[in-house]
Amino acid sequence: MPKDRTISRLRGELHRLQEQMRKAEPTKPPQKLAVKPSQPTIYVITPTYTRFVQKAELTRLAQTFLHVPQLHWILVEDSPHKTPLVSGFLASSGLAYTHLHTPTPRDRKLQEGDPSWLKPRGAEQRNEGLRWLREDRRGQPGADTQLGVVYFADDDNTYSLKLFEEMRGTQRVSVWPVGLVGGMRYERPVVEAGKVVRFHTGWRPSRPFPLDMAGFAVSLKLVIANQDACFDGDAPMGFLESSFLQGLVTMDELEPKAENCTKVLVWHTRTEKPKMKREEALQKQGLGSDTAVEV
């Protein structure tokens, strides 16, 4: 019909005009995708030892780390050899990791019934992690091999994801509060005009660095440049952190994070030791749990 032919003609004319306009437009160069600069890697050194709650602790910690980009976990067992439990756990963790081991000398080990504060713990394992880092990074070519941050994360603490982004920009040594530590609600560096001037702590504030192990991170470059910096396994109670930091930084050089050390992003939590009285009673009857089931 005449009306349909008119509509068809007008559609054809519209298509022709659209083609002419498209050809007349200047050709735009393809847009380049913005390339994000590589983030510094966070190297987390964690001492661990065999106990009933070990796998539970490591599971919680690993599932936190899975949410942190560009993280490498250095897990160091207090053992003369790598254990099958930790080896299998790490292999299925989905994380970039390095599995190490070194035993604590017998005279430095806590005995049954000793209070946890009696002797420094984890010094040998943290030093082994530092040794591996220094050797591995020195052997890697490229200018970015020393771009990174080193953090000492115990396997029983609780960590906010915000903490890792806070520490990622560490230039020398960055610091922040730690909650539920030292018999206090929190311990923290006190900041005035952007500088750490003293420490809010309930015990021996005169220590060179009255910080908890969870309360600081160190640049990888600084660790590599100071080959002798390590943890003193014979340090007096409360001085383990100071034994490492004294050769690396002064108080004036500390970098306060977490909104000038006013936000708690890590907590010094502890898992209750399980009571196994019923298990032990059943074992005496030959009815104990199957030890082939990994807990």
Side-chain angles (χ1 to χ4, degrees), residues 6 26 37 44 54 78 103 122 130 139 147 159 163 171 179-180 216 218 222 231 246 264 269 273:
T6 301
V44 179
Q54 183 183 30
D78 184 353
L130 290 170
L147 184 65
Y159 304 90
L163 176 67
Q171 299 301 306
L180 310 178
F216 66 90
V218 185
L222 191 63
F231 293 94
Q246 272 184 298
V264 174
T269 48
K273 186 178 180 180

Side-chain angles (χ1 to χ4, degrees), residues 29-44:
Q31 290 186 343
K32 292 183 179 180
L33 294 174
V35 179
K36 290 184 179 180
S38 59
Q39 298 184 90
T41 299
I42 298 175
Y43 294 93
V44 179

Side-chain angles (χ1 to χ4, degrees), residues 19-20 84 110 140 149 155 161 202 231 238 247 271 285:
E19 282 294 305
Q20 287 178 352
L110 289 172
Q140 299 294 330
V149 181
D155 60 8
L161 295 179
F231 293 94
T271 301
Q285 302 171 45

Side-chain angles (χ1 to χ4, degrees), residues 42 64 67-68 159-168 176 257-259 263-267:
I42 298 175
T64 296
H67 294 281
V68 183
Y159 304 90
S160 166
L161 295 179
K162 293 179 181 178
L163 176 67
F164 299 96
E165 295 315 309
E166 288 281 324
M167 74 174 71
R168 202 181 290 275
W176 47 80
K257 302 291 185 180
E259 297 185 26
K263 300 294 182 184
V264 174
L265 301 176
V266 56
W267 296 261

